[in-house]
Amino acid sequence: MNRRDFLKNTVKGIAGIALPLAAFEFVNPRELFATKDDNAKVRWGFLVDTYKCVGCGLCVKACKLENEIPYDANVSRTWVERYVITKDGKKYADSPKAARDGFTTGKIDLGEGKFQEIRNEDIEKAFFVPKLCNQCENPPCVQVCPVGATYQAADGVVLVDRTWCIGCGYCIMGCPYGVRFFHPKYLTAEKCNFCYHRISKGLKTACVQACPFGARQIGNLKDPSDPVTKIIMTERVGILKEEYGTKPQVFYVGLDREVK
């Protein structure tokens, strides 16, 4: 299933359904950091501020160029979803070309060449949500890989060794977030790795560096003085699909309850 089909199914699932507030829980930071009792000095965490994202797509462009993902291929390590909720309660979500070129039209891409035009006066609210690999504390993709090609580093980042990957696709099926795909050139399992070749040298990820609005940040969750850690500890942040128990290390400021 490609990302467009994934989003299409997501829209079908959320259309006409209002998730009760009780089902949307924010992260308890003290419980979160109480579990980080290993000896590693670094645990990378990612922070997304949905209030700051404008859907420009510069992060997606930068990621593709940095990580050798074919520019025109309909796959990407990171993407941005647009959510539109109309006054009559209908919900729409799309991410054309992973939002590589931003959102240049008000028409919602429904896939298969179909579009839904929504008038501005009919919109109750609209927002953008960047997504990427959640670098789970308990990564199901690592658990299901039969050859160890997907593994977790000491600092928590889940990596993929292309030389070991046999292309079985178990990790793609096992990921509850839909972030994994087959690389069009190498035909191996692919996903975001927080630009490990950059952060291990003290650099920012390509997407963080490219974002002109500060909607993306990466930091060391083991460092209480790190700006990312401070925000997680002092502000209301959420994670995606908490019910799966994977303990994502990507945290969201302003995560709306309609987001899946």
Side-chain angles (χ1 to χ4, degrees):
M1 177 184 291
N2 60 34
R3 187 158 291 114
R4 177 173 292 177
D5 292 333
F6 169 74
L7 283 170
K8 184 178 179 182
N9 290 337
T10 299
V11 173
K12 290 181 179 178
I14 64 176
I17 299 176
L19 190 65
L21 284 174
F24 183 76
E25 298 180 1
F26 290 96
V27 174
N28 183 328
R30 306 213 175 271
E31 289 183 4
L32 171 72
F33 289 104
T35 64
K36 301 185 184 303
D37 55 0
D38 55 84
N39 295 322
K41 294 182 179 180
V42 177
R43 193 1 171 157
W44 295 106
F46 205 93
L47 184 68
V48 176
D49 192 332
T50 62
Y51 295 132
K52 295 180 179 179
C53 181
V54 300
C56 64
L58 293 177
C59 54
V60 180
K61 283 188 177 74
C63 177
K64 277 180 169 278
L65 294 173
E66 180 73 27
N67 295 291
E68 299 181 292
I69 306 300
Y71 194 71
D72 292 323
N74 192 31
V75 291
S76 182
R77 288 187 171 196
T78 187
W79 70 100
V80 180
E81 295 175 0
R82 169 176 58 179
Y83 286 80
V84 177
I85 294 88
T86 56
K87 294 178 180 178
D88 59 3
K90 294 182 180 179
K91 303 174 181 65
Y92 301 89
D94 70 342
S95 183
K97 294 183 180 179
R100 182 199 71 190
D101 302 320
F103 295 87
T104 58
T105 174
K107 295 181 180 179
I108 302 296
D109 188 346
L110 302 178
E112 301 176 355
K114 299 179 180 179
F115 296 87
Q116 176 71 45
E117 188 163 5
I118 302 175
R119 299 181 304 172
N120 290 338
E121 55 266 32
D122 294 331
I123 297 176
E124 179 70 26
K125 61 179 176 179
F127 51 91
F128 303 102
V129 181
K131 289 187 176 181
L132 64 163
C133 175
N134 284 271
Q135 305 297 349
C136 305
E137 192 80 17
N138 301 319
C141 59
V142 171
Q143 298 170 21
V144 300
C145 180
V147 295
T150 295
Y151 62 98
Q152 191 171 29
D155 53 20
V157 178
V158 177
L159 304 172
V160 181
D161 188 333
R162 287 175 177 169
T163 62
W164 279 88
C165 180
I166 59 175
C168 66
Y170 286 167
C171 58
I172 296 175
M173 292 184 288
C175 176
Y177 302 100
V179 304
R180 304 200 62 146
F181 58 93
F182 282 119
H183 194 289
K185 178 180 178 181
Y186 300 109
L187 304 180
T188 53
E190 185 78 19
K191 71 173 192 66
C192 162
N193 64 359
F194 279 1
C195 283
Y196 203 67
H197 59 291
R198 294 175 63 92
I199 62 174
S200 58
K201 297 178 181 178
L203 303 174
K204 296 180 179 179
T205 68
C207 64
V208 169
Q209 182 170 298
C211 180
F213 305 103
R216 294 170 176 249
Q217 297 183 59
I218 190 168
N220 179 13
L221 300 181
K222 291 291 188 72
D223 181 3
S225 64
D226 189 289
V228 170
T229 306
K230 286 183 177 179
I231 291 175
I232 294 173
M233 289 294 290
T234 60
E235 298 187 22
R236 299 180 75 186
V237 297
I239 56 176
L240 294 173
K241 300 185 179 180
E242 183 180 12
E243 66 274 15
Y244 284 99
T246 58
K247 297 183 179 179
Q249 302 301 291
V250 174
F251 304 92
Y252 287 85
V253 176
L255 185 62
D256 199 277
R257 62 185 180 181
E258 277 86 8
V259 178
K260 302 297 183 182

